[in-house]
Amino acid sequence: MFTGISMFTTAVRQAFKMTPNVVFVLGGPGAGKGTQCQKIVEHFGYVHLSAGDLLREERNKPGSQYGELIETYIKEGKIVPVEITCSLLERAIEESGKKNFLVDGFPRNQNNLDGWNKVMADKVNLQFVLFFDCPLEICTARILKRGATSGRVDDNIESLKKRFNTYSTETKPIIEHYAKQNLVKTIDATRPAEEVYKEVESLFRKGAGDK
Ligand SMILES: Nc1ncnc2c1ncn2[C@@H]1O[C@H](COP(=O)(O)OP(=O)(O)O)[C@@H](O)[C@H]1O
Ligand SMILES: O=c1ccn([C@@H]2O[C@H](COP(=O)(O)OP(=O)(O)O)[C@@H](O)[C@H]2O)c(=O)[nH]1
Ligand SMILES: [Mg+2]
């Protein structure tokens, strides 16, 4: 998918030394990834790409060939095959023409990581991994509260149990993988959003990912 466009834009980006910078944003469901990303966008001009939002958008497109699959995976708290998610991310990066990206909620398992490494790793500069650390009880309370108004098919206790299970068995090892490479910046996400953001802000001010 999108190979023609992407080969061209990758070549143009390389010619102008516009290699995109990427920060992966990870953490359990309800840890506050989306909330903090919004604040980073406001203050630091990053483009926020939520893998979950891109998948929901694709699901909602009339006639999408992946609509049903995405719906089922989201409800079951399972991770959609990487070819779909990675194509959506790649297209969003290329179409934006911008330089700095927050990739929120990805990579969530080994399949995601392998697919990204195969297609994208050489085209972008991974700055660091921002990890919002938050215990299950606090995440649960936040998600159930969000569920009252979000309209999301997975913001309910049954889906949430499955999402937590996926998070601890599949996503945690990915965070550990990046931790071994010293790429993970861990933030205590249990405090009020404004306080969490103070720490996030100082990280970005210091240019945490500049290499
Ligand atoms: N630090 C925080 N304290 C309390 N509630 C929060 C905090 N951060 C986010 N929330 C709320 O919790 C819910 C989940 O936040 P969200 O940013 O969507 O998390 P995620 O993207 O990690 O699932 C939202 O309703 C949000 O308003
Ligand atoms: O790379 C991704 C990101 C999300 N999802 C699916 O989308 C759901 C919701 O993800 P989102 O990041 O929106 O949830 P959050 O953690 O922010 O509550 C996940 O449980 C998965 O089923 C996925 O399959 N691959
Ligand atoms: Mg989110």
Side-chain angles (χ1 to χ4, degrees), residues 7-64:
M7 273 169 68
F8 174 72
T9 42
T10 301
V12 171
R13 277 188 188 277
Q14 280 166 355
F16 288 94
K17 298 197 170 29
M18 271 278 289
T19 306
N21 292 315
V22 166
V23 173
F24 286 141
V25 181
L26 293 173
K33 302 181 292 296
T35 302
Q36 296 298 322
C37 282
Q38 271 182 17
K39 294 177 189 290
I40 299 165
V41 167
E42 281 165 32
H43 295 95
F44 293 94
Y46 275 70
V47 176
H48 177 207
L49 298 179
S50 157
D53 285 351
L54 289 169
L55 288 167
R56 283 183 286 273
E57 203 181 293
E58 177 65 29
R59 176 198 61 188
N60 292 343
K61 273 190 195 153
S64 164

Side-chain angles (χ1 to χ4, degrees), residues 167-180:
Y167 172 67
S168 45
T169 59
E170 299 188 43
T171 311
K172 275 284 186 70
I174 304 304
I175 298 166
E176 279 152 25
H177 160 83
Y178 283 119
K180 282 188 201 137

Side-chain angles (χ1 to χ4, degrees), residues 27-36 104 132 138 142-143 145-147 152 163 189-194 196:
K33 302 181 292 296
T35 302
Q36 296 298 322
D104 164 4
F132 291 107
I138 296 182
R142 289 182 187 172
I143 292 280
K145 196 170 165 201
R146 184 175 76 183
R152 277 178 53 164
R163 291 162 69 192
T190 59
R191 297 159 298 164
E194 287 304 328
V196 175

Side-chain angles (χ1 to χ4, degrees), residues 1 49-61 64 66-75 78-89 91-92 104-106 108 112 152 154:
M1 273 196 272
L49 298 179
S50 157
D53 285 351
L54 289 169
L55 288 167
R56 283 183 286 273
E57 203 181 293
E58 177 65 29
R59 176 198 61 188
N60 292 343
K61 273 190 195 153
S64 164
Y66 302 120
E68 265 179 47
L69 181 151
I70 293 171
E71 174 78 2
T72 309
Y73 273 70
I74 287 182
K75 218 171 176 175
K78 297 197 306 187
I79 310 305
V80 170
V82 68
E83 290 75 15
I84 299 174
T85 317
C86 207
S87 295
L88 295 169
L89 287 167
R91 182 168 60 175
D104 164 4
F106 180 97
R108 269 179 142 101
N112 278 182
R152 277 178 53 164
D154 58 345

Side-chain angles (χ1 to χ4, degrees), residues 48-205:
H48 177 207
L49 298 179
S50 157
D53 285 351
L54 289 169
L55 288 167
R56 283 183 286 273
E57 203 181 293
E58 177 65 29
R59 176 198 61 188
N60 292 343
K61 273 190 195 153
S64 164
Q65 69 177 122
Y66 302 120
E68 265 179 47
L69 181 151
I70 293 171
E71 174 78 2
T72 309
Y73 273 70
I74 287 182
K75 218 171 176 175
E76 293 300 315
K78 297 197 306 187
I79 310 305
V80 170
V82 68
E83 290 75 15
I84 299 174
T85 317
C86 207
S87 295
L88 295 169
L89 287 167
E90 180 174 21
R91 182 168 60 175
I93 289 172
E94 299 303 358
E95 286 183 353
S96 83
K98 298 276 172 51
K99 172 122 174 119
N100 297 319
F101 299 88
L102 300 166
V103 174
D104 164 4
F106 180 97
R108 269 179 142 101
N109 65 3
Q110 189 65 42
N111 168 261
N112 278 182
L113 182 62
D114 292 344
W116 175 270
N117 284 340
K118 196 169 148 197
V119 178
M120 292 299 289
D122 292 341
K123 296 181 190 168
V124 304
N125 164 43
L126 176 61
Q127 289 188 297
F128 59 100
V129 178
L130 191 54
F131 167 43
F132 291 107
D133 195 9
C134 197
L136 190 144
E137 304 74 49
I138 296 182
C139 286
T140 305
R142 289 182 187 172
I143 292 280
L144 294 181
K145 196 170 165 201
R146 184 175 76 183
T149 54
S150 69
R152 277 178 53 164
V153 294
D154 58 345
D155 279 352
N156 56 72
I157 196 71
E158 294 77 31
S159 291
L160 194 49
K161 281 184 192 152
K162 295 173 186 172
R163 291 162 69 192
F164 277 129
N165 186 41
T166 302
Y167 172 67
S168 45
T169 59
E170 299 188 43
T171 311
K172 275 284 186 70
I174 304 304
I175 298 166
E176 279 152 25
H177 160 83
Y178 283 119
K180 282 188 201 137
Q181 299 176 30
N182 257 330
L183 279 169
V184 177
K185 311 283 175 191
T186 302
I187 305 272
D188 172 5
T190 59
R191 297 159 298 164
E194 287 304 328
E195 281 182 40
V196 175
Y197 182 66
K198 276 184 198 151
E199 206 180 317
V200 170
E201 186 182 32
S202 78
L203 204 62
F204 276 80
R205 272 201 204 292

